[in-house]
Amino acid sequence: MALPASSWTGAKGGPPFFAYSTNYLIDLEAGIIVDVEASAVSKAAEVDATKTMIDRVEEKFEIKPERLVGDTNYGSAAMLGWLVDEKKIAPHTHVADKTERDDGTLSRSDFQWDEQANEYRCPEGKALRSDWRPFKNPRDRITKADTIIYRSRISDCISCPNKDRCCPNTTFRKIARSIHEKARDVARDIGKTDAFKESCRQRKCSLRI
């Protein structure tokens, strides 16, 4: 009989079956399992289970972690936004980032972000902005993927010497910036620290518990 948290799943090429994930919230310093939550076998369900455990432990025991250590599954923009902005928990996880290109064209990291001006600057110094087009409501700029699109001007790109490396197949360049980008930057900065390396070491040890 399938458990309530079970879902129909299966390994690629193998037979389907009912299964569930057992998610643990572990105090890495003490090596103690603090909470357990079953979930369906999916990345989204596992993240939701983690939120449930964190909220439950805080409510029941008045304990809240200072950091969350996990794999890239916990480095989605929405999860990082929840950790940093809502829970004030330091994310010790790799950021899930698909903005880097491997086809020889410029990646988003090649563009300079200007927080005060709310714009990106390309290597040639031209602006990419989200307000080139009028919007009745600022919320209209936010896509279903919780991003804001920053666009360059066609007139800036058409004669640009870097066009073939930037937007060879379009008349302008666009960059999608997550509404949780500040939280993503927090995680990126933590990922450069010795504390992050220690968290990774502790997590590997915890998997043997």
Side-chain angles (χ1 to χ4, degrees):
M1 182 177 67
L3 294 175
S6 296
S7 61
W8 195 245
T9 186
K12 186 176 181 180
F17 54 90
F18 275 106
Y20 66 95
S21 291
T22 307
N23 304 281
Y24 299 95
L25 189 65
I26 301 173
D27 182 333
L28 291 179
E29 296 291 343
I32 296 173
I33 296 174
V34 181
D35 200 357
V36 182
E37 177 73 10
S39 73
V41 184
S42 74
K43 293 181 178 180
E46 290 171 13
V47 168
D48 287 341
T50 300
K51 291 182 178 181
T52 297
M53 289 187 290
I54 289 174
D55 284 339
R56 185 164 58 205
V57 168
E58 182 177 7
E59 179 181 353
K60 187 174 182 179
F61 301 112
E62 297 184 354
I63 298 174
K64 187 175 74 173
E66 296 179 352
R67 57 180 172 144
L68 178 72
V69 183
D71 58 26
T72 309
N73 185 34
Y74 301 92
S76 66
M79 182 60 173
L80 293 175
W82 184 79
L83 288 170
V84 175
D85 299 328
E86 293 189 36
K87 304 301 291 185
K88 312 302 179 186
I89 297 173
H92 284 230
T93 177
H94 291 288
V95 179
D97 192 350
K98 298 180 180 180
T99 63
E100 293 300 308
R101 298 183 174 186
D102 57 6
D103 60 358
T105 59
L106 298 178
S107 297
R108 193 182 71 175
S109 59
D110 295 310
F111 293 74
Q112 185 70 35
W113 170 249
D114 187 328
E115 180 71 26
Q116 186 173 2
N118 188 31
E119 66 183 22
Y120 282 94
R121 287 278 171 174
C122 76
E124 295 296 318
K126 303 299 182 180
L128 286 77
R129 304 186 66 182
S130 65
D131 57 359
W132 292 138
R133 299 187 302 174
F135 291 90
K136 294 181 180 180
N137 188 321
R139 284 288 308 178
D140 293 341
R141 298 178 188 174
I142 301 176
T143 69
K144 292 181 180 179
D146 282 340
T147 63
I148 298 175
I149 305 300
Y150 290 77
R151 296 174 172 83
S152 62
R153 288 188 183 276
I154 295 176
S155 57
D156 288 335
C157 295
I158 193 168
S159 60
C160 177
N162 265 331
K163 187 177 187 308
D164 288 342
R165 294 185 59 233
C166 183
C167 50
N169 302 315
T170 59
T171 56
F172 62 91
R173 177 63 184 259
K174 65 179 181 180
I175 293 176
R177 180 178 176 85
S178 171
I179 61 174
H180 305 294
E181 199 63 35
K182 289 183 180 180
R184 283 157 58 87
D185 286 339
V186 169
R188 291 187 183 103
D189 289 340
I190 290 175
K192 302 173 185 177
T193 64
D194 291 336
F196 178 79
K197 294 178 182 178
E198 176 62 15
S199 290
C200 292
R201 185 194 68 78
Q202 290 180 329
R203 178 174 176 270
K204 289 180 180 179
C205 292
S206 74
L207 295 178
R208 303 192 188 105
I209 295 178

